[in-house]
Amino acid sequence: MKAQVNGITIAYNDQGTGLPIVFLHAFPLNRTMWAAQENALSSQFRIVTIDLRGHGESDAPLWHYTLDQSADDVRTLLDHLAIQQALFVGLSMGGYILFAFYRIFADRVKGLILADTRAQADTAEGKQGRFQMAQTAYKKGPSAIADVMVPKLLSPMRIQTEPGLVRQVRAMIEGNQISGIAGDLMAMAERPDSVPLLSRITCPTQIIVGELDQATPPSDSKLMAEQIPHTRLAIIPNAAHLSNLEQPEAFNQIVSAFALNLEK
Ligand code: MLT
């Protein structure tokens, strides 16, 4: 489905009834990374997955991107869908957007699931890396970005043994436009430090991380778990950064248990 949001087209899926659960994807992927969650959970809950600005079937305008803008796109889409409050799941960049969303629209958040993400801002070196990656995207195209990103997103074992999963992740990356990839990199480089926000998050929160995640390692999740007041931490064995794709059953089970508890 598609909606006009803040002057651009945003693509999304909206399936099932019950507690709305809104899923925000990682960089530089799209809403299809949540297919296993959508299939397993839409019989119990209302599952909304969104192609964020710059990704998948949504528009990727050539302009300045910010995570606050993406948060406002999500809020505007929820208004369009008449969803007042939801449980939000954000993985990696999706989690960064949830910090922006919570800062601006905390009253719309019934609960948060922060998966394979971190609260700290980029270091100076990290920002420089974003700049270099944007130049790679500009000069060589999205397939060069897939070459760089796949080893950061999936565990070495999956890359060796699951060519279908690697193809799926590459296809998501290669389906993006350069304007969206560069826009995200700019937005992530400029994002503020969310560590001071953590102690002010008052809704129930679940943190999930793959034990093999190197992009946002379990130490980043432990830092969030120590500072967010009402939170639990789940470490998924044998999963790297895209823990929802590498271990969908374990991931779904954590989301479902947390959502059922939230409904009580
Ligand atoms: C992601 O998976 O969204 C990215 O790895 C996040 C990042 O580059 O910081």
Side-chain angles (χ1 to χ4, degrees):
M1 284 177 262
K2 298 209 168 151
Q4 286 306 302
V5 166
N6 293 331
I8 63 165
T9 300
I10 290 284
Y12 66 97
N13 291 357
D14 180 6
Q15 271 192 51
T17 55
L19 174 73
I21 312 182
V22 178
F23 287 84
L24 304 185
H25 60 73
F27 166 83
L29 305 181
N30 64 43
R31 72 191 195 279
T32 64
M33 74 168 254
W34 299 116
Q37 283 63 53
E38 202 169 49
N39 289 340
L41 300 170
S42 59
S43 56
Q44 276 176 296
F45 306 104
R46 181 174 178 185
I47 305 299
V48 178
T49 61
I50 305 173
D51 277 350
L52 295 160
R53 173 184 291 254
H55 298 258
E57 296 177 316
S58 289
D59 283 345
L62 179 64
W63 198 237
H64 182 236
Y65 284 52
T66 66
L67 300 183
D68 284 6
Q69 175 69 70
S70 294
D72 194 63
D73 292 343
V74 172
R75 193 269 310 168
T76 309
L77 180 68
L78 296 189
D79 288 351
H80 172 77
L81 299 176
I83 294 174
Q84 179 50 37
Q85 264 208 329
L87 163 59
F88 291 85
V89 184
L91 193 143
S92 200
M93 182 184 74
Y96 306 161
I97 294 171
L98 286 184
F99 289 128
F101 191 91
Y102 193 87
R103 226 178 255 118
I104 317 171
F105 309 115
D107 60 320
R108 308 292 292 263
V109 182
K110 197 169 166 70
L112 282 176
I113 298 184
L114 300 165
D116 299 281
T117 192
R118 64 161 111 82
Q120 305 94 303
D122 281 357
T123 58
E125 194 188 353
K127 287 182 194 190
Q128 187 56 27
R130 305 274 191 210
F131 174 79
Q132 293 304 345
M133 197 182 293
Q135 306 323 302
T136 301
Y138 181 57
K139 289 184 192 143
K140 299 186 178 161
S143 74
I145 299 301
D147 294 343
V148 178
M149 287 306 295
V150 167
K152 294 184 190 216
L153 299 173
L154 298 172
S155 58
M157 193 272 282
R158 298 277 163 202
I159 293 174
Q160 288 222 325
T161 59
E162 290 192 36
L165 182 62
V166 174
R167 269 198 303 276
Q168 184 193 349
V169 171
R170 285 197 73 94
M172 283 189 255
I173 299 173
E174 289 172 0
N176 289 324
Q177 296 176 50
I178 307 300
S179 51
I181 293 174
D184 276 350
L185 289 162
M186 215 183 295
M188 289 192 287
E190 289 178 0
R191 77 187 192 282
D193 181 13
S194 291
V195 174
L197 176 73
L198 298 177
S199 61
R200 303 201 306 271
I201 296 180
T202 54
C203 65
T205 303
Q206 172 74 59
I207 297 164
I208 303 176
V209 65
E211 68 166 343
L212 307 174
D213 186 344
Q214 298 205 352
T216 50
S219 56
D220 289 340
S221 287
K222 288 180 185 152
L223 185 145
M224 294 190 288
E226 277 160 18
Q227 302 206 26
I228 300 178
H230 311 284
T231 195
R232 304 178 238 192
L233 168 63
I235 300 180
I236 300 186
N238 198 18
H241 191 53
L242 297 179
S243 60
N244 73 306
L245 277 174
E246 291 204 353
Q247 295 293 351
E249 281 166 23
F251 193 96
N252 294 347
Q253 208 274 327
I254 298 163
V255 174
S256 167
F258 183 76
L260 287 172
N261 216 27
L262 207 58
E263 271 184 324
K264 281 185 191 156

